[in-house]
Amino acid sequence: TNPSEPEDNGILGDVNGDGKVNIKDATQIQKAAAKLVTLSESEFVRADVNADTKVNVKDATAIQKFAAKLETGYPIGEKII
């Protein structure tokens, strides 16, 4: 990789990396919050939609709102720079 290019962290909210932000991503966050799964570093970056350095139910709720086409105030669905 070219060191001058930023690392591609994917799309904010796309926790499972399938190119879509949907309820599956919110479910992954809920599982991670319940310590049922461990997120990789890049999954964590995509999951922390409110950028508070924690992945928890607040992030899952924001993704659920996004999936329901409600305003979240976060750049969910946009490429992470």
Side-chain angles (χ1 to χ4, degrees), residues 4 6 18 23 33 38 43 48 53 58-60 62 66 71:
S4 66
D18 67 357
I23 295 302
T38 302
E43 287 170 334
D48 183 19
T53 71
K58 290 179 183 175
D59 300 298
F66 176 84
E71 180 53 52

Side-chain angles (χ1 to χ4, degrees), residues 28-71:
Q28 273 299 98
I29 290 172
Q30 290 167 328
K31 287 180 178 178
K35 308 268 190 275
L36 298 174
V37 298
T38 302
L39 300 179
S40 72
E41 195 173 324
S42 57
E43 287 170 334
F44 188 95
V45 168
R46 295 191 301 267
D48 183 19
V49 296
N50 65 358
D52 67 355
T53 71
K54 296 188 276 294
V55 170
N56 55 32
V57 72
K58 290 179 183 175
D59 300 298
T61 300
I63 289 174
Q64 289 167 331
K65 285 182 175 178
F66 176 84
K69 310 257 189 289
L70 299 172
E71 180 53 52

Side-chain angles (χ1 to χ4, degrees), residues 19-32:
K20 298 183 285 290
V21 178
N22 55 33
I23 295 302
K24 290 179 186 171
D25 300 299
T27 301
Q28 273 299 98
I29 290 172
Q30 290 167 328
K31 287 180 178 178

